[in-house]
PDB file of all heavy atoms in Angstrom:
ATOM      1  N   PHE S 328     112.410 112.761 116.959  1.00 88.00           N
ATOM      2  CA  PHE S 328     112.333 113.894 116.020  1.00 88.00           C
ATOM      3  C   PHE S 328     112.754 113.489 114.610  1.00 88.00           C
ATOM      4  O   PHE S 328     112.253 114.011 113.635  1.00 88.00           O
ATOM      5  CB  PHE S 328     113.204 115.056 116.524  1.00 88.00           C
ATOM      6  CG  PHE S 328     112.453 115.953 117.466  1.00 88.00           C
ATOM      7  CD1 PHE S 328     112.363 115.654 118.804  1.00 88.00           C
ATOM      8  CD2 PHE S 328     111.820 117.096 116.986  1.00 88.00           C
ATOM      9  CE1 PHE S 328     111.652 116.459 119.666  1.00 88.00           C
ATOM     10  CE2 PHE S 328     111.112 117.915 117.852  1.00 88.00           C
ATOM     11  CZ  PHE S 328     111.028 117.598 119.191  1.00 88.00           C
ATOM     12  N   TYR S 377     111.321 123.948 117.766  1.00 84.00           N
ATOM     13  CA  TYR S 377     111.903 123.727 116.445  1.00 84.00           C
ATOM     14  C   TYR S 377     113.423 123.599 116.537  1.00 84.00           C
ATOM     15  O   TYR S 377     114.050 122.901 115.761  1.00 84.00           O
ATOM     16  CB  TYR S 377     111.528 124.888 115.505  1.00 84.00           C
ATOM     17  CG  TYR S 377     112.124 124.740 114.146  1.00 84.00           C
ATOM     18  CD1 TYR S 377     111.616 123.806 113.246  1.00 84.00           C
ATOM     19  CD2 TYR S 377     113.233 125.496 113.766  1.00 84.00           C
ATOM     20  CE1 TYR S 377     112.173 123.639 112.008  1.00 84.00           C
ATOM     21  CE2 TYR S 377     113.801 125.336 112.514  1.00 84.00           C
ATOM     22  CZ  TYR S 377     113.255 124.402 111.638  1.00 84.00           C
ATOM     23  OH  TYR S 377     113.831 124.232 110.402  1.00 84.00           O
ATOM     24  N   ASP S 378     113.997 124.302 117.523  1.00 86.00           N
ATOM     25  CA  ASP S 378     115.458 124.310 117.644  1.00 86.00           C
ATOM     26  C   ASP S 378     115.980 123.157 118.492  1.00 86.00           C
ATOM     27  O   ASP S 378     117.167 123.079 118.766  1.00 86.00           O
ATOM     28  CB  ASP S 378     115.914 125.632 118.268  1.00 86.00           C
ATOM     29  CG  ASP S 378     115.446 126.808 117.438  1.00 86.00           C
ATOM     30  OD1 ASP S 378     115.498 126.697 116.209  1.00 86.00           O
ATOM     31  OD2 ASP S 378     115.007 127.813 118.025  1.00 86.00           O
ATOM     32  N   LEU S 379     115.054 122.266 118.903  1.00 88.00           N
ATOM     33  CA  LEU S 379     115.453 121.197 119.828  1.00 88.00           C
ATOM     34  C   LEU S 379     116.564 120.327 119.238  1.00 88.00           C
ATOM     35  O   LEU S 379     117.476 119.920 119.950  1.00 88.00           O
ATOM     36  CB  LEU S 379     114.233 120.339 120.186  1.00 88.00           C
ATOM     37  CG  LEU S 379     114.399 119.509 121.463  1.00 88.00           C
ATOM     38  CD1 LEU S 379     114.648 120.415 122.653  1.00 88.00           C
ATOM     39  CD2 LEU S 379     113.166 118.662 121.708  1.00 88.00           C
ATOM     40  N   GLN S 380     116.483 120.086 117.947  1.00 87.00           N
ATOM     41  CA  GLN S 380     117.517 119.227 117.351  1.00 87.00           C
ATOM     42  C   GLN S 380     118.890 119.886 117.409  1.00 87.00           C
ATOM     43  O   GLN S 380     119.888 119.218 117.632  1.00 87.00           O
ATOM     44  CB  GLN S 380     117.145 118.906 115.910  1.00 87.00           C
ATOM     45  CG  GLN S 380     115.873 118.101 115.865  1.00 87.00           C
ATOM     46  CD  GLN S 380     115.590 117.559 114.492  1.00 87.00           C
ATOM     47  OE1 GLN S 380     116.412 116.852 113.932  1.00 87.00           O
ATOM     48  NE2 GLN S 380     114.421 117.877 113.981  1.00 87.00           N
ATOM     49  N   PHE S 381     118.909 121.221 117.226  1.00 87.00           N
ATOM     50  CA  PHE S 381     120.189 121.927 117.352  1.00 87.00           C
ATOM     51  C   PHE S 381     120.690 121.853 118.793  1.00 87.00           C
ATOM     52  O   PHE S 381     121.882 121.737 119.036  1.00 87.00           O
ATOM     53  CB  PHE S 381     120.026 123.386 116.931  1.00 87.00           C
ATOM     54  CG  PHE S 381     119.793 123.547 115.469  1.00 87.00           C
ATOM     55  CD1 PHE S 381     118.515 123.677 114.957  1.00 87.00           C
ATOM     56  CD2 PHE S 381     120.861 123.535 114.588  1.00 87.00           C
ATOM     57  CE1 PHE S 381     118.300 123.810 113.600  1.00 87.00           C
ATOM     58  CE2 PHE S 381     120.655 123.667 113.228  1.00 87.00           C
ATOM     59  CZ  PHE S 381     119.379 123.802 112.734  1.00 87.00           C
ATOM     60  N   ILE S 382     119.734 121.916 119.734  1.00 91.00           N
ATOM     61  CA  ILE S 382     120.116 121.839 121.146  1.00 91.00           C
ATOM     62  C   ILE S 382     120.750 120.482 121.423  1.00 91.00           C
ATOM     63  O   ILE S 382     121.805 120.389 122.060  1.00 91.00           O
ATOM     64  CB  ILE S 382     118.881 122.072 122.051  1.00 91.00           C
ATOM     65  CG1 ILE S 382     118.291 123.462 121.788  1.00 91.00           C
ATOM     66  CG2 ILE S 382     119.257 121.892 123.508  1.00 91.00           C
ATOM     67  CD1 ILE S 382     117.009 123.745 122.532  1.00 91.00           C
ATOM     68  N   ILE S 383     120.115 119.423 120.890  1.00 91.00           N
ATOM     69  CA  ILE S 383     120.656 118.084 121.133  1.00 91.00           C
ATOM     70  C   ILE S 383     122.047 117.951 120.502  1.00 91.00           C
ATOM     71  O   ILE S 383     122.979 117.440 121.126  1.00 91.00           O
ATOM     72  CB  ILE S 383     119.692 117.004 120.581  1.00 91.00           C
ATOM     73  CG1 ILE S 383     118.336 117.116 121.284  1.00 91.00           C
ATOM     74  CG2 ILE S 383     120.285 115.620 120.763  1.00 91.00           C
ATOM     75  CD1 ILE S 383     117.269 116.215 120.736  1.00 91.00           C
ATOM     76  N   ASP S 384     122.184 118.470 119.281  1.00 88.00           N
ATOM     77  CA  ASP S 384     123.495 118.409 118.608  1.00 88.00           C
ATOM     78  C   ASP S 384     124.567 119.103 119.437  1.00 88.00           C
ATOM     79  O   ASP S 384     125.665 118.582 119.628  1.00 88.00           O
ATOM     80  CB  ASP S 384     123.411 119.093 117.233  1.00 88.00           C
ATOM     81  CG  ASP S 384     122.616 118.261 116.246  1.00 88.00           C
ATOM     82  OD1 ASP S 384     122.331 117.091 116.577  1.00 88.00           O
ATOM     83  OD2 ASP S 384     122.269 118.789 115.171  1.00 88.00           O
TER      84      ASP S 384
END
Side-chain angles (χ1 to χ4, degrees):
Chain S
F328 273 85
Y377 178 74
D378 302 320
L379 199 60
Q380 296 190 57
F381 290 96
I382 299 175
I383 299 174
D384 288 349

